[in-house]
Amino acid sequence: MNTTPPLPVNHHGDHPGFSGVMGAVCGVVFLAMGPKNARLVVDLAGLSERDHVVDIGCGPGSAVREAARRGARATGVDPSSMFLRIARAVTRKSANVTWVKGTAENVPVPSESATVLWSLATVHHWQDVTAGLQEAHRVLAPGGRLLAIERQTQPGATGYASHGWTRQQAESFAAQCRSTGFSDAVIESNDAGRRPVWVVRARRP
């Protein structure tokens, strides 16, 4: 019998962050890898020009730019100054895009100002999932949509292969959404183009 306790959804919450030369290298890599996930989350969210999206852990901003291309207003939030610098450098100036330094637990946007809040492969890095979900609930207007996407991993995976969620972790995050006051929390499996991902959707009542 396996007595190993299940990993929390933020099992890489102690990650030191991205800065300096390594941050710049990772930013360029994420820039190249980002468009497929960006198109996936924008399609899943069903964005329109009436939406204001807040992207938590936006990195170099692929999903923010895709949201703006679909006509939505978009705010990219990231704790890494390096990632935000890259995002600004590769983004055409637009009134529809804003970049701010922040974390899931401290989102520097007004309460009930967003219709969509998403996190692409970053919840497993949040330091405090409860605080992050409370902030998401605060930021979203009534009826607002929450989406979290994490690549599917296997129990016991280590190293880079562990950056994502097992089925149990996806279920745990959905349960935490419900306990924070979100409704209609569901888990889906989706193919982002390179490998399967978990998608957790919920709604602020």
Side-chain angles (χ1 to χ4, degrees), residues 9-15 18 30 37 54-60 77-79 83 102-105 117-129 132 146-151 163-165 173 198:
V9 298
N10 61 335
H11 55 293
H12 286 290
D14 58 351
H15 191 278
F18 298 93
F30 294 163
N37 274 347
V54 173
D55 183 338
I56 302 299
C58 66
V77 180
D78 203 281
F83 282 178
T103 64
E105 302 83 8
L117 183 145
W118 64 46
S119 178
L120 307 184
T122 65
V123 175
H124 70 277
H125 284 297
W126 291 8
Q127 293 185 353
D128 187 327
V129 176
L146 171 70
L147 290 97
I149 294 181
E150 293 280 351
R151 64 186 194 136
H163 284 259
W165 281 343
F173 182 73
W198 296 117

Side-chain angles (χ1 to χ4, degrees), residues 11-148:
H11 55 293
H12 286 290
D14 58 351
H15 191 278
F18 298 93
S19 61
V21 174
M22 184 55 67
V25 171
C26 290
V28 172
V29 171
F30 294 163
L31 196 62
M33 295 170 57
K36 287 184 179 178
N37 274 347
R39 289 191 292 271
L40 173 66
V41 73
V42 168
D43 289 342
L44 290 173
L47 291 187
S48 77
E49 58 190 24
R50 296 186 301 276
D51 283 310
H52 173 210
V53 177
V54 173
D55 183 338
I56 302 299
C58 66
S62 295
V64 171
R65 286 184 292 277
E66 186 63 28
R69 278 192 285 270
R70 305 288 181 98
R73 185 160 62 95
T75 300
V77 180
D78 203 281
S80 169
S81 297
M82 177 60 72
F83 282 178
L84 292 174
R85 192 174 305 134
I86 295 170
R88 290 187 180 101
V90 300
T91 304
R92 185 164 50 91
K93 290 190 182 301
S94 166
N96 280 352
V97 173
T98 304
W99 307 103
V100 292
K101 187 172 184 178
T103 64
E105 302 83 8
N106 183 18
V107 183
V109 302
S111 298
E112 300 189 358
S113 63
T115 58
V116 178
L117 183 145
W118 64 46
S119 178
L120 307 184
T122 65
V123 175
H124 70 277
H125 284 297
W126 291 8
Q127 293 185 353
D128 187 327
V129 176
T130 299
L133 284 172
Q134 289 171 343
E135 271 290 83
H137 195 278
R138 177 189 68 80
V139 167
L140 284 168
R145 293 102 75 194
L146 171 70
L147 290 97

Side-chain angles (χ1 to χ4, degrees), residues 125-205:
H125 284 297
W126 291 8
Q127 293 185 353
D128 187 327
V129 176
T130 299
L133 284 172
Q134 289 171 343
E135 271 290 83
H137 195 278
R138 177 189 68 80
V139 167
L140 284 168
R145 293 102 75 194
L146 171 70
L147 290 97
I149 294 181
E150 293 280 351
R151 64 186 194 136
Q152 295 183 16
T153 62
Q154 297 300 315
T158 60
Y160 178 71
S162 69
H163 284 259
W165 281 343
T166 62
R167 173 79 194 199
Q168 179 274 329
Q169 288 173 305
E171 291 172 347
S172 176
F173 182 73
Q176 290 178 71
C177 288
R178 297 183 196 103
S179 66
T180 309
F182 287 94
S183 63
D184 305 323
V186 296
I187 305 166
E188 303 167 355
S189 178
N190 203 302
D191 184 348
R194 291 188 311 277
R195 59 176 297 165
V197 296
W198 296 117
V199 179
V200 177
R201 303 172 184 251
R203 184 176 297 271
R204 182 189 164 177

